[in-house]
Amino acid sequence: MASLAFSSATTTKASSKPGPLFLLPPNRLKVEAVGFSDLPERPRISLRHGSNQGHRISSQFPPKTSVVSKQSTEVEVNMNTEDCLKVMISGAPASGKGTQCELIKNKYGLVHIAAGDLLREEIAAGTEKGKRAKEYMEKGLLVPSEIVVMMVKDRLLQPDAQEKGWLLDGYPRSLEQAKALEELGIRPDIFILLDVSEENLVERVVGRRLDPETGKIYHLKYSPPENEEIAARLTQRFDDTEEKVKLRLQTHHQNVEDVLSTYEDVIVRIKGDAAKENVFAEIDKVLSSVKEKKSQASMDSKAAAV
Ligand code: AP5
């Protein structure tokens, strides 16, 4: 039987009184805001989850209070008969998308497709597309869709992504890109939005370093290199300056609402200011719940077909 348990490691002062059971179609996960914490520095919210199996589990979630604007939100889980997960992850520059994708990929075996990485590969290969893309990336602007859309679509349709499931990082970033995916019938099971304060974003950008040999992301303060040898070879991204991150943030704010409106029914907002392990713990709860529900739907559909 599918379970929607989101057991939480976080504590809260919010109400955890039991609420009504939800009767929902099998592909819907109801998330209802039932109480707010009085902790000003880190507002927390208590959620109830319900399923059509009559399960009701109360748990706590630590997003910003502004995150849940409606008192009750239904998160739709796309129930395809395959078990593999399809996940989109979004958030401002340096909100931790790449860091979380690494952890998600290791646990769930999804194929990680990062629009920014695909573009940087083109730049490194010195292609025409790469040269054009760099002009926009240096200004903190979105690279034109005619370059990005085909690039991401082709990668998504590769057999590994179709077989193992995918984790789409930093895409779509505009209504046009979202529409292009919709037209192809490409929709995520869940859309994770990382929410991080602007102050933290700037600090994360300027301290970020990359290991060109392993591709691993470091931060001089939060994830320092393991030894001197690695430290000596670390590089910095050309767009990781305080000045450029401000432009990238502006671009993000101009476009994010359009993208969110396309995925309103599958969005889960996660507070991303905490340590990366704690952020991952929240994401893990969401993904394991979705995965379990998908597996159950797949078993039900196979049983019905016999
Ligand atoms: P892209 O490469 O996607 O950059 P971004 O969105 O700005 O995001 P980042 O890669 O900077 O950050 P991240 O969220 O992955 O954070 P990370 O995990 O590294 O895009 C670059 C450019 O390409 C765009 O500006 C645009 O021009 C173009 N582009 C990309 N996609 C496009 C699209 N769809 N359409 C058009 N153009 C597109 O973490 C950052 C740092 O913080 C690291 O040092 C990390 O160690 C640290 N950190 C992470 N998590 C934590 C934590 N919890 N606590 C403390 N430190 C942390």
Side-chain angles (χ1 to χ4, degrees), residues 203-259:
E203 194 192 9
R204 285 185 190 181
V205 160
V206 294
R208 171 169 43 195
R209 296 292 182 274
L210 302 167
D211 183 342
E213 278 185 24
T214 62
K216 194 170 167 189
I217 308 166
Y218 290 93
H219 189 279
L220 296 178
K221 181 169 165 192
Y222 300 113
S223 300
E226 294 85 353
N227 56 50
E228 283 300 313
E229 192 190 338
I230 297 173
R233 65 176 186 240
L234 295 184
T235 59
Q236 197 170 12
R237 259 170 54 175
F238 65 84
D239 54 352
D240 270 355
T241 61
E242 192 167 342
E243 181 205 358
K244 281 182 183 154
V245 75
K246 292 202 167 140
L247 298 171
R248 283 157 62 197
L249 264 171
Q250 244 176 37
T251 304
H252 169 76
H253 292 311
Q254 280 159 5
N255 292 289
V256 66
E257 289 306 325
D258 282 345
V259 175

Side-chain angles (χ1 to χ4, degrees), residues 82-94:
E82 336 91 70
D83 292 348
C84 64
L85 280 176
K86 295 169 186 144
V87 180
M88 286 180 183
I89 186 160
S90 169

Side-chain angles (χ1 to χ4, degrees), residues 12 54-55 70-72 77 80 87 93 98 105 119 125 140 144 169 182 203-204 229 238 265 267 269 272 276 284 299:
T12 181
H55 289 179
K70 288 186 281 185
Q71 194 62 11
S72 175
V77 177
N80 300 316
V87 180
K105 190 176 78 177
L119 291 166
D169 165 1
E182 293 283 294
E203 194 192 9
R204 285 185 190 181
E229 192 190 338
F238 65 84
D265 51 348
I267 292 175
R269 297 174 190 243
K276 67 178 182 185
D284 192 20
M299 280 192 286

